[in-house]
Amino acid sequence: MRTQFWIFLLLLLLLNFFCQAARPVMTIRPESLVGPQGNTTFLDGTTWCVARPGASQAELQRALDWACGIGRVDCSVIERHGDCYEPDTIVSHASFAFNAYYQTNGNNRIACYFGGTATLTKINPSYGKCSYDVSKSEVSIARSLSKYKPRWLLLMHIGLLLLISRRG
């Protein structure tokens, strides 16, 4: 009986793992831009999130790695041959990634912090073929990802209830 319980609990945990691994990944493609231009708010106007002047190269690199990794920003446009690769500087690459994260994650000051390495600006940092604007469809895709919450807590409650019911 106890073995069956542990097998059941293991299956629940595996199910949770595979459900979490199957969720979609958000990408930002500048070639499909249709607006909005930055973040338009009632009080502050249009803003973009960029690397803070004076931030150290090491801090910017850590924040850039986070944005392109855990932050789920598609950083292919700041890689070699991408529209935003030039100038090939950590400040330029970090600014693009920070802004992409900012625009797709609520357009609030918290989404533009990056350990103190980012700041908001009202000056559009776009240049040449490199556009810092994110399409409305990309923003809505990113916001719809918020419905994917970890289910492990629910699964653990079910497991505990089963354990209690078996002992009773």
Side-chain angles (χ1 to χ4, degrees):
M1 191 68 71
R2 183 170 248 172
T3 304
Q4 290 174 340
F5 169 75
W6 288 110
I7 290 173
F8 177 73
L9 192 59
L10 178 64
L11 289 174
L12 285 176
L13 289 173
L14 287 173
L15 175 67
N16 181 54
F17 173 77
F18 287 115
C19 288
Q20 292 295 318
R23 67 182 176 178
V25 175
M26 175 216 36
T27 59
I28 299 169
R29 292 181 278 287
E31 66 271 9
S32 65
L33 296 174
V34 294
Q37 300 219 350
N39 168 36
T40 303
T41 62
F42 178 72
L43 298 175
D44 294 332
T46 304
T47 55
W48 290 266
C49 180
V50 295
R52 182 178 50 80
S56 78
Q57 299 286 308
E59 290 173 323
L60 286 172
Q61 186 63 57
R62 278 193 296 276
L64 175 61
D65 292 342
W66 184 90
C68 295
I70 294 171
R72 294 179 177 242
V73 171
D74 177 13
C75 291
S76 62
V77 295
I78 57 175
E79 293 173 354
R80 191 173 309 279
H81 306 296
D83 287 346
C84 299
Y85 178 73
E86 294 294 338
D88 182 16
T89 65
I90 189 70
V91 172
S92 176
H93 294 177
S95 292
F96 179 86
F98 292 174
N99 185 66
Y101 182 85
Y102 168 71
Q103 288 192 30
T104 57
N105 287 280
N107 295 326
N108 59 50
R109 294 189 191 281
I110 294 171
C112 184
Y113 183 67
F114 295 96
T117 62
T119 188
L120 292 174
T121 183
K122 292 186 178 198
I123 300 169
N124 186 344
S126 299
Y127 57 92
K129 292 192 296 182
C130 182
S131 175
Y132 277 60
D133 300 330
V134 177
S135 73
K136 290 179 182 176
S137 62
E138 298 291 344
V139 172
S140 66
I141 288 169
R143 290 191 180 143
S144 70
L145 288 175
S146 65
K147 69 182 177 184
Y148 292 98
K149 304 273 187 221
R151 297 184 192 117
W152 68 269
L153 191 58
L154 173 65
L155 297 174
M156 291 303 286
H157 281 99
I158 292 170
L160 287 173
L161 288 174
L162 286 172
L163 177 64
I164 292 168
S165 68
R166 294 280 183 194
R167 289 187 178 198

PDB file of all heavy atoms in Angstrom, residues 99-112:
ATOM      1  N   ASN A  99      14.785  46.390 -22.770  1.00  0.00           N
ATOM      2  CA  ASN A  99      13.562  46.989 -23.281  1.00  0.00           C
ATOM      3  C   ASN A  99      12.560  45.931 -23.733  1.00  0.00           C
ATOM      4  O   ASN A  99      11.363  46.066 -23.496  1.00  0.00           O
ATOM      5  CB  ASN A  99      13.870  47.948 -24.431  1.00  0.00           C
ATOM      6  CG  ASN A  99      12.626  48.661 -24.883  1.00  0.00           C
ATOM      7  OD1 ASN A  99      12.055  49.449 -24.138  1.00  0.00           O
ATOM      8  ND2 ASN A  99      12.169  48.355 -26.081  1.00  0.00           N
ATOM      9  N   ALA A 100      13.044  44.881 -24.371  1.00  0.00           N
ATOM     10  CA  ALA A 100      12.144  43.813 -24.809  1.00  0.00           C
ATOM     11  C   ALA A 100      11.466  43.173 -23.601  1.00  0.00           C
ATOM     12  O   ALA A 100      10.261  42.916 -23.603  1.00  0.00           O
ATOM     13  CB  ALA A 100      12.917  42.765 -25.606  1.00  0.00           C
ATOM     14  N   TYR A 101      12.231  42.933 -22.536  1.00  0.00           N
ATOM     15  CA  TYR A 101      11.658  42.362 -21.317  1.00  0.00           C
ATOM     16  C   TYR A 101      10.656  43.341 -20.700  1.00  0.00           C
ATOM     17  O   TYR A 101       9.560  42.968 -20.303  1.00  0.00           O
ATOM     18  CB  TYR A 101      12.764  42.027 -20.318  1.00  0.00           C
ATOM     19  CG  TYR A 101      12.233  41.385 -19.067  1.00  0.00           C
ATOM     20  CD1 TYR A 101      12.012  40.016 -19.022  1.00  0.00           C
ATOM     21  CD2 TYR A 101      11.929  42.148 -17.935  1.00  0.00           C
ATOM     22  CE1 TYR A 101      11.503  39.411 -17.876  1.00  0.00           C
ATOM     23  CE2 TYR A 101      11.420  41.549 -16.794  1.00  0.00           C
ATOM     24  CZ  TYR A 101      11.211  40.192 -16.770  1.00  0.00           C
ATOM     25  OH  TYR A 101      10.697  39.613 -15.647  1.00  0.00           O
ATOM     26  N   TYR A 102      11.038  44.594 -20.619  1.00  0.00           N
ATOM     27  CA  TYR A 102      10.191  45.647 -20.031  1.00  0.00           C
ATOM     28  C   TYR A 102       8.847  45.746 -20.744  1.00  0.00           C
ATOM     29  O   TYR A 102       7.800  45.771 -20.113  1.00  0.00           O
ATOM     30  CB  TYR A 102      10.955  46.965 -20.108  1.00  0.00           C
ATOM     31  CG  TYR A 102      10.166  48.208 -19.812  1.00  0.00           C
ATOM     32  CD1 TYR A 102       9.733  48.494 -18.523  1.00  0.00           C
ATOM     33  CD2 TYR A 102       9.881  49.125 -20.819  1.00  0.00           C
ATOM     34  CE1 TYR A 102       9.024  49.650 -18.242  1.00  0.00           C
ATOM     35  CE2 TYR A 102       9.182  50.292 -20.546  1.00  0.00           C
ATOM     36  CZ  TYR A 102       8.757  50.553 -19.264  1.00  0.00           C
ATOM     37  OH  TYR A 102       8.059  51.697 -18.991  1.00  0.00           O
ATOM     38  N   GLN A 103       8.881  45.788 -22.067  1.00  0.00           N
ATOM     39  CA  GLN A 103       7.641  45.962 -22.822  1.00  0.00           C
ATOM     40  C   GLN A 103       6.743  44.732 -22.766  1.00  0.00           C
ATOM     41  O   GLN A 103       5.531  44.854 -22.903  1.00  0.00           O
ATOM     42  CB  GLN A 103       7.940  46.318 -24.273  1.00  0.00           C
ATOM     43  CG  GLN A 103       8.465  47.730 -24.413  1.00  0.00           C
ATOM     44  CD  GLN A 103       8.488  48.191 -25.842  1.00  0.00           C
ATOM     45  OE1 GLN A 103       7.677  47.777 -26.658  1.00  0.00           O
ATOM     46  NE2 GLN A 103       9.419  49.064 -26.158  1.00  0.00           N
ATOM     47  N   THR A 104       7.305  43.579 -22.584  1.00  0.00           N
ATOM     48  CA  THR A 104       6.475  42.372 -22.566  1.00  0.00           C
ATOM     49  C   THR A 104       6.113  41.904 -21.158  1.00  0.00           C
ATOM     50  O   THR A 104       5.409  40.913 -21.008  1.00  0.00           O
ATOM     51  CB  THR A 104       7.163  41.216 -23.312  1.00  0.00           C
ATOM     52  OG1 THR A 104       8.440  40.981 -22.734  1.00  0.00           O
ATOM     53  CG2 THR A 104       7.295  41.523 -24.781  1.00  0.00           C
ATOM     54  N   ASN A 105       6.578  42.609 -20.141  1.00  0.00           N
ATOM     55  CA  ASN A 105       6.321  42.190 -18.765  1.00  0.00           C
ATOM     56  C   ASN A 105       5.764  43.304 -17.898  1.00  0.00           C
ATOM     57  O   ASN A 105       6.204  43.524 -16.773  1.00  0.00           O
ATOM     58  CB  ASN A 105       7.589  41.608 -18.131  1.00  0.00           C
ATOM     59  CG  ASN A 105       7.916  40.258 -18.686  1.00  0.00           C
ATOM     60  OD1 ASN A 105       7.327  39.267 -18.288  1.00  0.00           O
ATOM     61  ND2 ASN A 105       8.841  40.217 -19.648  1.00  0.00           N
ATOM     62  N   GLY A 106       4.798  44.004 -18.419  1.00  0.00           N
ATOM     63  CA  GLY A 106       4.055  44.937 -17.593  1.00  0.00           C
ATOM     64  C   GLY A 106       4.394  46.399 -17.727  1.00  0.00           C
ATOM     65  O   GLY A 106       3.698  47.237 -17.177  1.00  0.00           O
ATOM     66  N   ASN A 107       5.483  46.744 -18.395  1.00  0.00           N
ATOM     67  CA  ASN A 107       5.842  48.152 -18.585  1.00  0.00           C
ATOM     68  C   ASN A 107       5.856  48.927 -17.275  1.00  0.00           C
ATOM     69  O   ASN A 107       5.353  50.038 -17.198  1.00  0.00           O
ATOM     70  CB  ASN A 107       4.877  48.825 -19.563  1.00  0.00           C
ATOM     71  CG  ASN A 107       4.979  48.253 -20.946  1.00  0.00           C
ATOM     72  OD1 ASN A 107       6.051  47.859 -21.378  1.00  0.00           O
ATOM     73  ND2 ASN A 107       3.865  48.177 -21.636  1.00  0.00           N
ATOM     74  N   ASN A 108       6.409  48.326 -16.242  1.00  0.00           N
ATOM     75  CA  ASN A 108       6.480  49.036 -14.968  1.00  0.00           C
ATOM     76  C   ASN A 108       7.932  49.116 -14.515  1.00  0.00           C
ATOM     77  O   ASN A 108       8.803  48.464 -15.059  1.00  0.00           O
ATOM     78  CB  ASN A 108       5.598  48.367 -13.907  1.00  0.00           C
ATOM     79  CG  ASN A 108       5.995  46.932 -13.658  1.00  0.00           C
ATOM     80  OD1 ASN A 108       7.173  46.646 -13.437  1.00  0.00           O
ATOM     81  ND2 ASN A 108       5.038  46.026 -13.689  1.00  0.00           N
ATOM     82  N   ARG A 109       8.166  49.926 -13.518  1.00  0.00           N
ATOM     83  CA  ARG A 109       9.545  50.155 -13.061  1.00  0.00           C
ATOM     84  C   ARG A 109      10.233  48.872 -12.593  1.00  0.00           C
ATOM     85  O   ARG A 109      11.432  48.731 -12.735  1.00  0.00           O
ATOM     86  CB  ARG A 109       9.556  51.203 -11.964  1.00  0.00           C
ATOM     87  CG  ARG A 109       9.143  52.566 -12.451  1.00  0.00           C
ATOM     88  CD  ARG A 109       9.367  53.637 -11.393  1.00  0.00           C
ATOM     89  NE  ARG A 109       8.747  54.886 -11.758  1.00  0.00           N
ATOM     90  CZ  ARG A 109       9.251  55.758 -12.618  1.00  0.00           C
ATOM     91  NH1 ARG A 109      10.387  55.490 -13.204  1.00  0.00           N
ATOM     92  NH2 ARG A 109       8.620  56.875 -12.884  1.00  0.00           N
ATOM     93  N   ILE A 110       9.471  47.963 -12.045  1.00  0.00           N
ATOM     94  CA  ILE A 110      10.059  46.701 -11.587  1.00  0.00           C
ATOM     95  C   ILE A 110      10.599  45.896 -12.769  1.00  0.00           C
ATOM     96  O   ILE A 110      11.641  45.261 -12.676  1.00  0.00           O
ATOM     97  CB  ILE A 110       9.027  45.888 -10.787  1.00  0.00           C
ATOM     98  CG1 ILE A 110       8.685  46.623  -9.497  1.00  0.00           C
ATOM     99  CG2 ILE A 110       9.538  44.484 -10.488  1.00  0.00           C
ATOM    100  CD1 ILE A 110       7.528  46.035  -8.733  1.00  0.00           C
ATOM    101  N   ALA A 111       9.907  45.953 -13.909  1.00  0.00           N
ATOM    102  CA  ALA A 111      10.344  45.224 -15.104  1.00  0.00           C
ATOM    103  C   ALA A 111      11.529  45.918 -15.775  1.00  0.00           C
ATOM    104  O   ALA A 111      12.069  45.417 -16.751  1.00  0.00           O
ATOM    105  CB  ALA A 111       9.194  45.075 -16.092  1.00  0.00           C
ATOM    106  N   CYS A 112      11.942  47.054 -15.245  1.00  0.00           N
ATOM    107  CA  CYS A 112      13.106  47.776 -15.778  1.00  0.00           C
ATOM    108  C   CYS A 112      14.107  48.058 -14.662  1.00  0.00           C
ATOM    109  O   CYS A 112      14.598  49.163 -14.512  1.00  0.00           O
ATOM    110  CB  CYS A 112      12.673  49.080 -16.448  1.00  0.00           C
ATOM    111  SG  CYS A 112      14.046  49.965 -17.239  1.00  0.00           S
TER     112      CYS A 112
END
